[in-house]
Amino acid sequence: MVLPNHGANAHHVYERLGIEMPEVVIDFSENVNPLGPPAFVKERWSTYAGLITKYPDPNGEPFRSAAAKYHNVSVSNVLVGNGAAELFAALAKRYENKRAVLIHPTFSEYEATLAPYNVYIKEIMATGELSLDEVFDEVEFAEVIYICRPNNPTGYLIPLETIKQIAEYAKRYKCEVILDEAFLDFIDENESFIPYLKDFPNVIIVRSMTKMYAIPGLRLGYAVASEQIVNDIRSSMPQWNSNAIATAIGAECLQEEAYRNQAITFAKEMREQMTVFLEKWNCIVLPSTTNFICFQLPDATRSKAFFTYLLAKGCVLRHTENFKGLDGKWFRVGMKEKPQMEHLQKEMTAWFEENLSS
Ligand SMILES: Cc1ncc(COP(=O)(O)O)c(C=O)c1O
């Protein structure tokens, strides 16, 4: 039985497994900020309605300038996308008939977007420590390497120094580096590679507004790269690719510093609590830096039974069957608000007591 690939839209998992969906379902497979969008979005919602009567700015203003200001880069270095997902699709065309390196386990969209372009994909498996030598060996022959930082689904953050080493080596061999920083907002801007782009015209950073600002339905993301790369990618994208409401709201989101700090503190607190809970039951928990964690049961052969038990109880975890190297033996849990995390722990405890203690 092949389970649906993505997190969110939980009803697909229930349908596929033939499990009746309980009336109340908490979707822990989603990994957006559980605190919801910044308050101004609801408060000023009616003011955005007027925007739909005109075509939006073709370059994603006012968001493009706001993002440039936020990162202290020039507007010409920012490319606005209909979610980071659109940017990955546009980027993939650059590598048609070329060679790409992916480090697994990682976000499935890199491979999915490269698939239509006859890209030869070299996979590096790094469920444990990443071997820099292996990366260097592959980069020499590739046109691009994709790095998810922090990584989805493990939450692991490759150190900035290591990224600099990879970017330097890649530059020497004319290999581009796509750095996906979709979850970096949950750590600290000081961890971003954006300030180093000046020295690395071969690096393209992709950011998403979805995760931190809890606006997956609006669709807003952006890339930060050299002006030449921005123009190249933009030329293959549709006119008016980002919508007026998303770009207006996105520009204001970037001013929400207190909101961001609260989300960072909250995600840290929730993942630490969840880690303590899971480790108490001898689960293996990967050290995450962001708003989800990845764990394995002490007996991974029981993973499917555990997953379906929780589904029946209305708790949806992210299975990992389509993440290479994790192969369904691990689960990803997105952090939610306290009562929901407590509810999950209660349901997990019931299963652990039945199945782990004997
Ligand atoms: C690592 C990573 N990058 C990018 C995206 C896509 O983000 P967006 O909603 O901006 O398209 C996701 C969505 O799950 C993701 O997990």
Side-chain angles (χ1 to χ4, degrees):
M1 173 86 57
V2 180
L3 291 171
N5 265 356
H6 284 275
N9 303 119
H11 61 279
H12 293 307
V13 179
Y14 283 94
E15 276 164 26
R16 194 70 65 86
L17 287 173
I19 299 173
E20 197 178 329
M21 195 161 165
E23 229 158 77
V24 181
V25 164
I26 311 175
D27 190 356
F28 295 92
S29 74
E30 270 179 3
N31 48 18
V32 304
N33 183 349
L35 304 177
F40 81 83
V41 177
K42 243 192 206 155
E43 285 161 14
R44 280 182 249 152
W45 187 247
S46 60
T47 66
Y48 300 116
L51 295 172
I52 65 169
T53 59
K54 284 200 194 104
Y55 273 90
D57 181 85
N59 291 315
E61 293 291 5
F63 180 70
R64 190 185 192 195
S65 293
K69 188 167 169 221
Y70 180 69
H71 291 294
N72 200 17
V73 296
S74 153
V75 171
S76 57
N77 296 125
V78 177
L79 172 63
V80 179
N82 196 286
E86 187 195 31
L87 297 165
F88 288 123
L91 278 164
K93 291 185 202 156
R94 283 174 82 69
Y95 310 112
E96 185 154 26
N97 298 322
K98 294 186 175 155
R99 204 175 155 104
V101 182
L102 302 186
I103 304 172
H104 288 291
T106 198
F107 184 43
S108 55
E109 280 296 300
Y110 312 144
E111 191 167 346
T113 49
L114 290 169
Y117 297 106
N118 190 37
V119 181
Y120 176 80
I121 296 177
K122 178 67 199 177
E123 296 176 342
I124 294 179
M125 298 307 294
T127 31
E129 186 97 343
L130 174 68
S131 156
L132 255 193
D133 287 340
E134 201 179 344
V135 171
F136 289 166
D137 285 351
E138 297 305 338
V139 154
E140 285 183 25
F141 302 102
E143 272 76 22
V144 63
I145 178 167
Y146 285 69
I147 301 176
C148 190
R149 182 175 182 273
N151 190 33
N152 178 9
T154 59
Y156 180 65
L157 185 79
I158 298 178
L160 208 42
E161 273 313 308
T162 308
I163 298 293
K164 281 186 207 161
Q165 283 174 277
I166 295 173
E168 188 67 58
Y169 201 84
K171 188 164 73 171
R172 211 182 310 157
Y173 288 93
K174 299 198 171 9
C175 174
E176 292 185 344
V177 181
I178 297 184
L179 259 189
D180 181 355
E181 294 191 349
F183 288 96
L184 196 113
D185 298 270
F186 288 97
I187 304 175
D188 186 331
E189 254 346 291
N190 288 331
E191 273 293 344
S192 174
F193 195 80
I194 292 174
Y196 306 97
L197 278 180
K198 290 185 285 309
D199 300 325
F200 296 100
N202 59 324
V203 176
I204 302 162
I205 313 263
V206 178
R207 301 279 296 233
S208 170
M209 294 297 283
T210 290
K211 310 297 179 181
M212 167 55 83
Y213 302 98
I215 50 172
L218 275 183
R219 312 306 302 132
L220 189 63
Y222 56 106
V224 188
S226 74
E227 187 173 343
Q228 194 194 331
I229 290 183
V230 165
N231 292 341
D232 272 5
I233 309 169
R234 183 68 186 104
S235 64
S236 73
M237 287 166 73
Q239 183 84 318
W240 310 299
N241 63 319
S242 52
N243 77 75
I245 295 181
T247 50
I249 290 178
E252 295 188 52
C253 280
L254 291 176
Q255 295 176 24
E256 294 281 321
E257 193 180 345
Y259 165 93
R260 273 193 297 276
N261 290 338
Q262 189 195 2
I264 292 169
T265 309
F266 183 77
K268 184 167 184 285
E269 192 189 325
M270 288 301 104
R271 74 172 180 264
E272 283 172 0
Q273 275 181 18
M274 194 65 195
T275 302
V276 168
F277 167 79
L278 289 167
E279 287 181 342
K280 192 181 85 187
W281 287 100
N282 297 320
C283 294
I284 306 166
V285 185
L286 300 180
S288 170
T289 50
T290 183
N291 67 329
F292 52 79
I293 54 174
C294 202
F295 74 96
Q296 188 181 86
L297 297 177
D299 175 4
T301 62
R302 308 296 314 279
S303 300
K304 201 145 214 169
F306 176 69
F307 182 61
T308 49
Y309 173 89
L310 288 177
L311 281 178
K313 298 287 177 189
C315 295
V316 185
L317 301 185
R318 176 66 167 95
H319 69 85
T320 57
E321 288 193 354
N322 63 312
F323 283 109
K324 290 180 184 162
L326 299 183
D327 308 318
K329 295 188 187 116
W330 295 78
F331 297 101
R332 190 189 69 200
V333 192
M335 298 300 111
K336 300 279 164 202
E337 291 193 89
K338 263 196 184 115
Q340 296 163 319
M341 296 308 288
E342 279 164 10
H343 179 73
L344 177 63
Q345 292 184 11
K346 189 180 105 222
E347 296 297 357
M348 283 184 171
T349 301
W351 192 88
F352 289 156
E353 281 175 350
E354 270 294 299
N355 294 277
L356 294 187
S357 39
S358 55

